[in-house]
């Protein structure tokens, strides 16, 4: 996670067996007008699909965007993309090539873009704007098993600190483990829906179903409430519930 006050660091991977083309693409990325609004760019270059897949499999390839040449010796770009998807990589993939022959096939690996070489800086800039601009729905970025993953705030049920790791419990039942401390993730979220109800738990109040001895969530999970601050914490939830319920009512019904 970037430190407070620092520009976000965007990890971009370039995979192309031509050193000349890699250098040209790197220069184009860094020369894009206004590229700073995307954050500081950190670009990693690979001369083959095999090297990229090896890094990813070893947990060293956490990227926000991957730019792949299609025509490479060894594994071509399409084969590399299939291998990355098989490894569970969700990172947006953009193909760069001299021919449109693989354009339709690129949909099989959920490619985010397909640009002819050399890429037009304006088109490349628009693509980065689309892929790297902050989403309308806020997301939390965490590094799990060497890979960066994104969780929308709405998907988070609660976060739990356990044995020097933080476990993110998601609505769909997934549990993501990351090395960031709960305090750091709470600061990164910085959203009123998240309540630190216990030293080891941060709960999304949007998913609280009822209050008993614990907070009972929509999936049946019971999240402990810090005993010494029970009144303060239950009041915080009540105030949040009331303010958000009123805010969502039609104007004519809000103050009935």
């Amino acid at each position: 996670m970037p430190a407070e006050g620092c520009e976000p660091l965007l990890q971009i991977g370039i995979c192309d067996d031509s050193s000349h083309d890699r250098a040209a693409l790197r220069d184009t990325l860094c020369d894009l007008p206004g590229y700073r609004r995307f954050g500081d760019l950190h670009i990693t270059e690979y001369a083959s699909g095999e090297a990229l897949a090896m890094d990813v499999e070893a947990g060293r390839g956490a990227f926000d965007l991957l730019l792949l040449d299609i025509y490479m010796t060894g594994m071509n770009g399409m084969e590399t993309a299939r291998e990355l998807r098989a490894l569970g990589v969700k990172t947006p993939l953009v193909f760069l090539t001299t021919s449109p022959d693989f354009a339709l096939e690129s949909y099989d690996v959920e490619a985010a873009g397909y640009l002819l070489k050399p890429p037009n800086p304006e088109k490349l800039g628009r693509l980065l704007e689309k892929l790297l601009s902050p989403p309308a729905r806020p997301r939390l970025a965490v590094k799990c098993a060497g890979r960066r993953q994104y969780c929308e705030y709405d998907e988070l049920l609660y976060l739990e600190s356990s044995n020097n790791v933080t476990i993110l419990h998601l609505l769909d039942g997934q549990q993501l483990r990351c090395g960031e401390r709960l305090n750091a993730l709470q600061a990164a979220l910085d959203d009123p829906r998240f309540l630190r109800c216990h030293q080891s738990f941060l709960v999304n109040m949007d998913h609280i179903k009822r209050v008993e001895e614990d907070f009972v969530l929509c999936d049946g999970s019971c999240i402990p409430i810090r005993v010494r601050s029970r009144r303060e914490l239950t009041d915080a939830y009540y105030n949040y519930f009331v303010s958000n319920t009123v805010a969502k009512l039609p104007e004519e019904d809000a103050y009935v």
Side-chain angles (χ1 to χ4, degrees):
M1 306 295 295
E4 187 175 355
C6 294
E7 289 291 331
L9 182 64
L10 291 167
Q11 303 279 356
I12 295 180
I14 296 174
C15 185
D16 194 316
D17 59 356
S18 166
S19 59
H20 175 270
D21 287 354
R22 291 198 307 273
L25 180 55
R26 183 183 62 241
D27 291 344
T28 300
L29 285 168
C30 292
D31 289 342
L32 286 176
Y35 86 92
R36 277 281 180 183
R37 68 179 176 277
F38 301 124
D40 288 334
L41 302 182
H42 182 272
I43 298 173
T44 304
E45 298 180 23
Y46 294 93
S48 70
E50 289 87 349
L52 171 56
M54 189 179 302
D55 253 16
V56 168
E57 190 168 16
R60 295 189 294 267
F63 297 102
D64 297 291
L65 177 66
L66 283 167
L67 301 163
L68 306 176
D69 182 30
I70 285 187
Y71 293 103
M72 295 188 289
T73 55
M75 280 202 309
N76 65 31
M78 197 61 62
E79 291 167 339
T80 302
R82 290 197 183 95
E83 178 68 17
L84 294 176
R85 293 305 191 216
L87 291 170
V89 173
K90 304 296 184 184
T91 302
L93 304 177
V94 174
F95 290 114
L96 298 166
T97 183
T98 55
S99 166
D101 291 346
F102 286 88
L104 290 177
E105 195 173 345
S106 68
Y107 288 100
D108 294 339
V109 291
E110 300 177 359
Y114 193 100
L115 298 176
L116 296 180
K117 295 169 77 172
N120 178 287
E122 185 178 345
K123 289 183 178 180
L124 184 60
R126 285 201 302 267
L127 188 59
L128 261 66
E129 183 78 44
K130 174 184 175 183
L131 297 176
L132 301 179
S133 293
R137 299 175 67 181
R139 300 186 301 173
L140 176 68
V142 292
K143 193 172 182 180
C144 303
R147 299 174 188 167
R148 182 172 293 190
Q149 298 202 32
Y150 298 91
C151 303
E152 292 184 357
Y153 287 11
D154 292 343
E155 297 176 334
L156 293 167
L157 277 172
Y158 65 97
L159 286 71
E160 175 187 4
S161 177
S162 176
N163 297 324
N164 297 319
V165 300
T166 300
I167 306 170
L168 285 69
H169 297 263
L170 307 186
L171 266 175
D172 62 3
Q174 287 189 77
Q175 295 182 10
L176 303 180
R177 296 174 178 268
C178 67
E180 287 98 338
R181 294 190 177 277
L182 187 57
N183 285 343
L185 294 179
Q186 181 180 1
L189 286 164
D190 188 26
D191 188 285
R193 82 188 80 178
F194 293 99
L195 178 67
R196 187 69 173 268
C197 59
H198 186 278
Q199 180 179 350
S200 301
F201 290 89
L202 182 69
V203 66
N204 185 341
M205 291 189 285
D206 285 343
H207 299 310
I208 294 176
K209 187 174 182 180
R210 63 182 183 273
V211 181
E212 297 178 351
E213 288 300 315
D214 303 319
F215 285 129
V216 180
L217 306 189
C218 58
D219 71 336
S221 300
C222 294
I223 309 303
I225 301 172
R226 190 168 53 245
V227 175
R228 292 182 182 178
S229 307
R230 180 176 178 80
R231 179 63 181 273
E232 176 187 344
L233 291 166
T234 54
D235 282 353
Y237 167 64
Y238 175 77
N239 292 332
Y240 176 82
F241 175 80
V242 170
S243 63
N244 280 271
T245 300
V246 170
K248 292 174 183 177
L249 286 173
E251 188 175 346
E252 62 271 20
D253 297 332
Y255 298 103
V256 173

